């Protein structure tokens, strides 16, 4: 199959655990699907979900560190009190995003809104857009991504995550499922889409 491969790079990224609301804020090791569809929505300028395009991705970074961040706790009568929290972030992130719709190239060539990987300050840029041919292969490396819980031989952090959100106020999570978050590769013995140039398998979420 032909797919669009978009390479996205930045200085920092952070992906919030849904269960951590206050105190120390750890980051997920790889972006959840909702972040990916948020990224595509920002590029196109309108809400995009799994019914519009199927996606796969490989994410990597150089290191993980902790930063201090000022937050404001809202009180009565619109009063606010400042506080400082520790927040994990990922350094020098790289995202290889695969889309099954080649026409999405125009949205990443000239994104409508700024692209981020996590917080509003986690700005990223598109460094390459390429149409690639993905063939079926087995016995290749798969990982540095999220996989549906239950994929044979896969392992990682198990977390319930939404696939995307509504654009209503307040936002509502849609398609919450258990996923495995993998920050390393493993050899997958079954057939999957293979990017020969990058020498890794791509799991498409539909």
């Amino acid at each position: 199959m032909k797919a669009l491969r978009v390479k996205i790079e930045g200085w920092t990224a952070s992906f919030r655990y849904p269960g951590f609301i206050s105190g120390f804020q750890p980051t997920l090791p790889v972006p959840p699907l909702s972040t990916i569809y948020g990224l595509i929505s920002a590029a196109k300028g309108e809400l995009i979900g799994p019914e519009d395009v199927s996606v796969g991705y490989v994410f990597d970074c150089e290191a993980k560190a902790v930063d201090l961040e000022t937050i404001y706790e809202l009180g009565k009568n619109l009063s606010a009190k400042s506080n400082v929290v520790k927040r994990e972030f990922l350094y020098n992130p790289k995202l290889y995003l695969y889309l099954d719709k080649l026409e999405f190239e125009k949205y990443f060539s000239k994104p409508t809104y700024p692209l981020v990987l996590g917080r509003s300050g986690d700005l990223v840029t598109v460094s390459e857009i390429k149409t690639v041919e993905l063939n079926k292969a087995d016995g290749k490396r798969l990982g540095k991504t999220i996989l549906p819980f239950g994929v044979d031989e896969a392992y990682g952090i198990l977390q319930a995550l939404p696939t995307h959100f509504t654009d209503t106020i307040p936002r509502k999570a849609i398609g919450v499922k258990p996923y495995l978050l993998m920050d390393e590769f493993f050899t997958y013995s079954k057939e999957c889409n293979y990017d020969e140039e990058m020498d890794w398998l791509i799991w498409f979420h539909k």
Side-chain angles (χ1 to χ4, degrees):
M1 64 174 285
K2 287 191 181 299
L4 188 69
R5 189 179 73 203
V6 183
K7 183 180 179 183
I8 294 170
E9 300 178 274
W11 289 347
T12 62
S14 61
F15 312 112
R16 192 176 71 84
Y17 273 83
F20 287 75
I21 297 174
S22 61
F24 180 66
Q25 297 291 306
T27 177
L28 298 170
V30 295
L33 270 175
S34 57
T35 295
I36 299 299
Y37 279 109
L39 190 74
I40 301 171
S41 299
K44 186 176 181 183
E46 62 182 65
L47 187 65
I48 298 296
E51 66 279 4
D52 301 305
V53 61
S54 296
V55 300
Y57 54 95
V58 175
F59 175 85
D60 202 3
C61 67
E62 289 187 20
K64 181 166 65 175
V66 177
D67 196 8
L68 296 176
E69 183 176 276
T70 301
I71 63 168
Y72 294 93
E73 300 167 349
L74 297 178
K76 294 181 180 177
N77 302 320
L78 297 179
S79 62
K81 175 185 170 187
S82 65
N83 199 352
V84 176
V85 299
K86 291 184 177 178
R87 183 187 294 274
E88 279 186 340
F89 68 95
L90 304 169
Y91 175 66
N92 267 358
K94 286 186 180 65
L95 173 71
Y96 291 86
L97 174 63
Y98 293 80
L99 308 173
D100 69 345
K101 300 277 180 67
L102 303 182
E103 61 269 28
F104 274 61
E105 177 180 0
K106 57 181 178 288
Y107 307 132
F108 285 95
S109 298
K110 191 176 181 181
T112 303
Y113 298 111
L115 303 181
V116 299
L117 277 177
R119 298 168 296 173
S120 59
D122 296 324
L123 290 165
V124 293
T125 59
V126 176
S127 54
E128 182 186 61
I129 304 176
K130 189 173 183 179
T131 298
V132 295
E133 184 73 34
L134 302 179
N135 298 308
K136 295 290 185 182
D138 56 35
K140 303 293 184 181
R141 59 180 184 156
L142 172 67
K144 292 187 180 282
T145 188
I146 70 168
L147 297 170
F149 177 65
V151 172
D152 289 347
E153 308 163 62
Y155 56 89
I157 299 171
L158 179 61
Q159 181 72 46
L161 295 167
T163 57
H164 58 301
F165 285 87
T166 65
D167 57 355
T168 58
I169 300 176
R171 298 186 308 163
K172 294 181 180 177
I174 300 175
V176 177
K177 302 175 188 171
Y179 288 99
L180 289 171
L181 295 93
M182 302 192 62
D183 59 357
E184 60 185 26
F185 289 111
F186 72 104
T187 301
Y188 187 52
S189 63
K190 296 192 175 179
E191 196 172 75
C192 195
N193 292 297
Y194 178 58
D195 185 341
E196 186 173 2
E197 182 183 349
M198 304 306 296
D199 188 26
W200 57 41
L201 298 170
I202 301 299
W203 186 281
F204 273 88
H205 298 269
K206 301 180 179 179

